[in-house]
Amino acid sequence: MVALHPEPIAADPRSVRWVTGADVTPFVGPVRHAAPPLEALVENGTVESLCCESDAVVVRLGAGHDWRTTGASVRSTLREALTDPQHWEADSADQWSDDARLEAAAREVIAGPAGDYVRSHGGQVWLESARGGRVEIGFAGTCSHCPAAGFTLQHRIAAAIRERHPGEIQVVAAQLEASRRQRWLTLRRR
Amino acid sequence: MAHHHGGTAVKVASGTTRVALVGSPNSGKTTLFNALTGLRAKTGNYPGVTVARFEGSVRTTDGEIVLEDLPGTYSLDAISPDEQIVTQVLDGEDLSVATPDAVLVLLDATTLRRSLGLLAQVLQVGLPTAVVLTFGDELARRQGELDVPALQRALGVRVIPVVAGTRDDLGVLREELARPDSWQAPIVPPPVDSTELREWADSVLDTAGYRLPEADRRTARIDSVLLHPVWGTAVFFVTMFAFFQVIFTLAAPLQDLVQAGFDWLAGVIADNVHGPFGGFLSSALIGGVGSVLVFLPQIVLLFLMIAVLEGSGYLSRAAFLMDRIMARAGLEGRAFVALLSALACAIPGIMATRSLPSARDRIATMMAAPLMTCSARLTVYVLLVGLLVDPSTRFGPVGAQGLVMFCLYLGGALAAMGTAWLFKKFTGRHGPVLPFYMEMPSYRLPRARSVAVAVWDAAKGFLSKVGRIILVVTIVLWLLLNLPARGTSDFRAAGINPDDTTATSSYVLDHSFAADAGRAVEPVFEPLGFDWRINVGVLASLSAREVFVATLGQVAAADNPDSPTTALQQMQTPDGHGGERKLFDAPTTAALLTFFLFALQCMSTIGVMRRETGTWRWPAIAFGYMFALAWTMAFVVHSVVSAVA
């Protein structure tokens, strides 16, 4: 069965991330049609929109509905719908691809606690590319000179991406173009 | 057994914020409660049930709040009355008990999966909730893993890791406790359905990167010996032997020291204070209260050892080893701890029943505890065995006196087990059968503070409660034994030389109110061979058994009220056939010993039983049952010994 738990989204009280773990959501990105029982909730206005992430489904309730009363029914319906991935419809076929899933996982990690950690240390982190099982992560700011950057990449970012996208993937630091490399004042003669 | 810092039952002022503490047994709940409330806890009972209630005020960074320590429970599915209390307190619609403003749930990091079930049920209630995560240090030591911020995100409520007793962690907790109204209920409460609930717990633990702690190797190694069928039992008996050695041997010099202090005091009083007031001071205060205070070292040592055994985790193992034997009486291993405590005094024994999760077991154990041979019976036994058995009688290497004493201890234990079995059967129709669950905590070094609090509480409780009762009773008894007051004219009229103090005091005693009372109950005790003088002693010992020794001394007008053996041996009484017989002949003394073995002659025990059960019903039943048992058994013994002799 599907192991689920809800996590609130601070910026939007009507939305909840239902964390499912890796490889449960049928695809990533906006949902056009969900499997029948869940789709019924969308049709009757209880649910306004659905969006799949690599390890979660973000459910936004319709106006006038609140989580405390509808939470339990959304949970069991979602649970049931997730066991029936064939009946979900995405906006585009790309959303079903492995590359899309890997890219979503990497973006979520960078937006999540692992990315927060880098930013809290004055670093900048972004996704350069995610293709064919290879993820390139760009670093800047304090990260560019930090001896622990490699450790952070492997133990925080890569580990978190692997949790959302199990299987053989490679996570590397992107080789930055000179233009994106931060220039520091230096006394050294160039 | 939970050592709460005891105190008097006081209603906490309403209007202050009330936070309830919920957690499973052994989650460190009581340690945290004691650490947060310090020495300002109040105990009481929930209305109408035998569940102890603990409340204390906590100083937060923003004023005081009231913290209520709910009984330890594994779930809110009310099986036992204790769990029912937790459910009732958290249920806003139940008006019999006040619902708290917020809930603090304790999760043991080493048993997180099981604890989540309880948390889920609390979260379903919907009160503002925060989680305190305990034993994170032990999880780390045993190479477990847990991402606390992730756990907090997944649970949707604040999670505060606390290593019990660490000041910094408590500081964070005090800050949180200052504003429980800011605590949140999760956006969607956890599911009710058991499958969905299990999935929810899986999902939460997965997100929090929870890795189960390895089995504690140190604990496993120690347990392989201590729970071994042969070695474990051997260690257990050695421990118990050492336990009694400490209580009865190590305490002896300390007891002598207290006794010496009172002897000195008695000497000072005898030299300086004369007249009735001097008599009052020496017999009532020194004889009565002093003879009880002598037992303080035993009480302190007993609680010190129990606290150390409990804090280290061995007491759970001892209870586990005793479980099979206790099961024959229909009790579980934990009741063993209570009965063990009752060997010093029934009061700590009865208080120790708080650790029993089932109210039914609690009642049965409470009924059994007063039958265990307490230290107060010891004084009476020593006196009476001395009268019954010649010290030179021996069976091979074993002294007969010691053998009789051993039989009395064994008899008490057997009577206790039998009573527990009887009451378990008797109350069984009303309560549901409870599943048995006992947890073996890891071996830990006992916390000095917990040990100190337990010992301090025991000593304080013993001094104040028992001391108060015995003081009052002794004063009343002294008055009854010395009133109505007699003057020189009374003595002359009765043909007694007013200067002969022994004769006059004997006359006062013979015609005192107490003597009237002793004669009034003669019909009840005559079949046992008791005369009015023993009756006065028995009546007086209803307050506390030790009083029997001092009272009999006064009644016998012996020179030394604390060792009246010689005077008592000579005492005569009419034999009913126109002749005289020795009052303390073999049948009477044996009957008296038997009576003391079974009877509930202790007002403090009755008072504590009333406090712990919240009703007069159980102490009344216990008193009636034990009196009937004592009388019947004493009658049987009297008849058998008479026939043999």
Side-chain angles (χ1 to χ4, degrees):
Chain A
M1 292 304 278
V2 182
L4 280 180
H5 78 262
E7 289 186 6
I9 294 173
D12 180 12
R14 267 161 68 189
S15 293
V16 160
R17 278 188 80 228
W18 289 91
V19 179
T20 60
D23 287 345
V24 175
T25 51
F27 51 82
V28 290
V31 177
R32 181 181 285 173
H33 293 298
L38 189 57
E39 188 60 22
L41 289 184
V42 179
E43 279 162 12
N44 71 18
T46 310
V47 172
E48 185 187 282
S49 68
L50 294 162
C51 183
C52 288
E53 295 184 355
S54 64
D55 70 338
V57 180
V58 176
V59 180
R60 185 160 207 265
L61 287 186
H65 293 275
D66 78 290
W67 279 109
R68 190 121 204 121
T69 49
T70 55
S73 68
V74 170
R75 181 205 316 272
S76 37
T77 322
L78 179 61
R79 215 171 137 253
E80 203 186 329
L82 282 171
T83 57
D84 184 17
Q86 301 94 308
H87 289 92
W88 289 62
E89 271 179 48
D91 279 348
S92 80
D94 290 353
Q95 287 173 248
W96 292 84
S97 73
D98 195 56
D99 281 352
R101 187 169 276 280
L102 183 61
E103 188 183 325
R107 285 197 194 285
E108 288 156 23
V109 166
I110 289 169
D116 288 342
Y117 172 81
V118 174
R119 287 182 285 275
S120 73
H121 286 65
Q124 293 156 24
V125 57
W126 65 91
L127 177 67
E128 277 285 326
S129 70
R131 222 170 293 117
R134 182 184 163 91
V135 181
E136 286 190 21
I137 304 285
F139 282 112
T142 47
C143 295
S144 13
H145 305 282
C146 177
F151 186 87
T152 301
L153 175 68
Q154 286 310 320
H155 288 263
R156 288 185 186 265
I157 296 173
I161 295 174
R162 285 197 179 90
E163 267 175 31
R164 285 153 194 261
H165 193 284
E168 283 205 9
I169 57 164
Q170 194 186 8
V171 180
V172 294
Q175 296 303 313
L176 297 183
E177 305 150 24
S179 61
R180 293 196 72 165
R181 206 175 281 150
Q182 189 129 8
R183 287 184 186 277
W184 295 93
L185 287 175
T186 172
L187 294 174
R188 204 173 55 184
R189 194 187 285 260
R190 284 178 191 274
Chain B
M1 181 176 55
H3 286 303
H4 280 87
H5 193 82
T8 46
V10 180
K11 203 90 192 100
V12 177
S14 54
T16 36
T17 309
R18 286 165 48 85
V19 177
L21 199 57
V22 177
S24 52
N26 288 322
S27 59
K29 197 161 61 70
T30 302
T31 310
L32 184 72
F33 179 77
N34 282 342
L36 281 173
T37 58
L39 304 179
R40 292 165 295 151
K42 284 130 191 156
T43 64
N45 267 78
Y46 290 98
V49 285
T50 56
V51 179
R53 174 180 205 155
F54 298 94
E55 278 187 353
S57 53
V58 178
R59 214 169 279 147
T60 70
T61 46
D62 184 28
E64 293 209 340
I65 62 136
V66 173
L67 191 64
E68 179 170 358
D69 187 9
L70 294 178
T73 180
Y74 292 110
S75 81
L76 294 189
D77 302 325
I79 307 171
S80 80
D82 312 45
E83 288 168 342
Q84 204 157 5
I85 276 299
V86 182
T87 314
Q88 274 179 12
V89 168
L90 295 184
D91 184 358
E93 284 167 25
D94 191 311
L95 300 176
S96 62
V97 279
T99 309
D101 300 305
V103 189
L104 200 58
V105 182
L106 255 81
L107 298 187
D108 178 346
T110 60
T111 59
L112 200 52
R113 183 173 296 273
R114 195 193 59 209
S115 315
L116 279 184
L118 175 64
L119 177 67
Q121 290 184 312
V122 174
L123 290 177
Q124 283 154 12
V125 173
L127 289 167
T129 305
V131 165
V132 169
L133 194 72
T134 55
F135 296 121
D137 52 339
E138 197 173 310
L139 183 76
R141 184 174 68 77
R142 284 158 57 185
Q143 269 108 52
E145 274 175 25
L146 180 64
D147 180 351
V148 176
L151 181 67
Q152 178 167 306
R153 269 201 319 277
L155 291 177
V157 293
R158 183 91 172 85
V159 176
I160 310 143
V162 162
V163 175
T166 314
R167 267 175 209 287
D168 290 353
D169 292 347
L170 287 182
V172 175
L173 190 52
R174 278 181 209 281
E175 257 172 52
E176 285 295 326
L177 281 168
R179 41 187 163 84
D181 45 327
S182 74
W183 296 354
Q184 294 186 337
I187 187 160
V188 180
V192 180
D193 174 77
S194 65
T195 314
E196 287 190 27
L197 181 63
R198 204 172 50 242
E199 289 168 4
W200 172 79
D202 282 345
S203 183
V204 167
L205 292 177
D206 201 35
T207 300
Y210 184 60
R211 217 180 63 202
L212 263 175
E214 291 172 6
D216 187 355
R217 275 202 215 116
R218 189 174 64 184
T219 293
R221 263 206 306 275
I222 300 175
D223 270 345
S224 67
V225 176
L226 292 189
L227 292 181
H228 188 273
V230 177
W231 302 125
T233 313
V235 169
F236 171 74
F237 279 109
V238 169
T239 310
M240 286 302 106
F241 181 76
F243 195 89
F244 289 114
Q245 283 301 303
V246 169
I247 292 179
F248 291 110
T249 317
L250 202 75
L254 296 169
Q255 260 174 298
D256 289 346
L257 217 64
V258 180
Q259 186 67 60
F262 278 106
D263 288 347
W264 173 80
L265 203 63
V268 171
I269 288 168
D271 291 345
N272 298 300
V273 191
H274 302 286
F277 186 61
F280 166 74
L281 286 182
S282 63
S283 70
L285 280 184
I286 309 297
V289 180
S291 70
V292 180
L293 283 182
V294 164
F295 292 97
L296 180 64
Q298 286 190 338
I299 302 275
V300 167
L301 275 171
L302 179 89
F303 271 83
L304 181 72
M305 285 187 302
I306 288 185
V308 168
L309 284 181
E310 188 203 358
S312 65
Y314 184 68
L315 212 56
S316 305
R317 272 80 183 176
F320 173 77
L321 287 167
M322 287 306 288
D323 184 50
R324 187 176 302 184
I325 297 169
M326 298 301 288
R328 286 177 192 262
L331 292 177
E332 53 165 286
R334 260 173 293 198
F336 162 77
V337 177
L339 293 184
L340 188 72
S341 314
L343 278 174
C345 176
I347 295 169
I350 287 171
M351 295 199 307
T353 61
R354 284 177 188 166
S355 66
L356 298 179
S358 138
R360 210 174 115 214
D361 279 11
R362 229 189 135 191
I363 294 287
T365 313
M366 241 182 241
M367 293 292 135
L371 287 166
M372 297 298 284
T373 303
C374 68
S375 57
R377 277 196 180 93
L378 195 63
T379 45
V380 181
Y381 284 176
V382 168
L383 174 75
L384 293 179
V385 171
L387 288 170
L388 181 68
V389 183
D390 185 29
S392 59
T393 316
R394 300 187 77 83
F395 300 105
V398 185
Q401 284 195 339
L403 202 66
V404 172
M405 196 69 97
F406 176 75
C407 290
L408 288 167
Y409 267 87
L410 194 68
L414 290 177
M417 299 290 278
T419 298
W421 176 82
L422 193 74
F423 275 85
K424 197 72 198 292
K425 243 181 137 56
F426 170 65
T427 55
R429 279 168 291 159
H430 310 295
V433 178
L434 294 178
F436 175 66
Y437 195 103
M438 192 161 66
E439 200 172 345
M440 298 279 134
S442 300
Y443 287 102
R444 296 165 183 149
L445 211 60
R447 288 198 183 274
R449 190 185 158 87
S450 301
V451 172
V453 164
V455 171
W456 167 245
D457 261 3
K460 202 179 72 176
F462 176 73
L463 285 179
S464 72
K465 300 218 174 64
V466 182
R468 242 178 355 217
I469 290 171
I470 289 188
L471 180 65
V472 170
V473 169
T474 313
I475 290 171
V476 170
L477 192 73
W478 182 82
L479 289 172
L480 289 177
L481 284 169
N482 288 281
L483 291 177
R486 305 287 170 177
T488 318
S489 54
D490 293 317
F491 298 134
R492 291 235 166 79
I496 297 170
N497 177 8
D499 297 329
D500 182 350
T501 43
T502 312
T504 54
S505 59
S506 156
Y507 177 83
V508 170
L509 210 61
D510 248 356
H511 297 84
S512 66
F513 292 135
D516 294 344
R519 290 196 182 91
V521 296
E522 241 170 1
V524 177
F525 291 112
E526 212 183 344
L528 311 182
F530 301 180
D531 81 335
W532 73 267
R533 287 166 291 197
I534 297 182
N535 293 347
V536 171
V538 169
L539 287 180
S541 72
L542 285 176
S543 59
R545 295 181 181 91
E546 304 92 319
V547 178
F548 181 80
V549 178
T551 310
L552 223 54
Q554 288 190 58
V555 172
D559 297 332
N560 181 358
D562 281 332
S563 68
T565 314
T566 334
L568 290 175
Q569 269 168 345
Q570 315 299 331
M571 213 175 262
Q572 300 284 313
T573 191
D575 64 359
H577 306 291
E580 295 258 303
R581 65 165 172 94
K582 265 169 84 177
L583 174 59
F584 287 97
D585 57 2
T588 307
T589 314
L592 199 51
L593 272 173
T594 315
F595 187 82
F596 267 87
L597 201 160
F598 292 106
L600 177 52
Q601 295 146 292
C602 183
M603 281 304 148
S604 317
T605 303
I606 290 175
V608 167
M609 225 183 242
R610 156 79 181 83
R611 200 183 77 194
E612 294 293 311
T613 60
T615 152
W616 280 111
R617 186 168 147 235
W618 290 110
I621 289 174
F623 185 82
Y625 161 75
M626 284 176 206
F627 184 84
L629 191 66
W631 194 93
T632 314
M633 294 307 279
F635 181 71
V636 169
V637 167
H638 188 261
S639 311
V640 169
V641 176
S642 296
V644 171

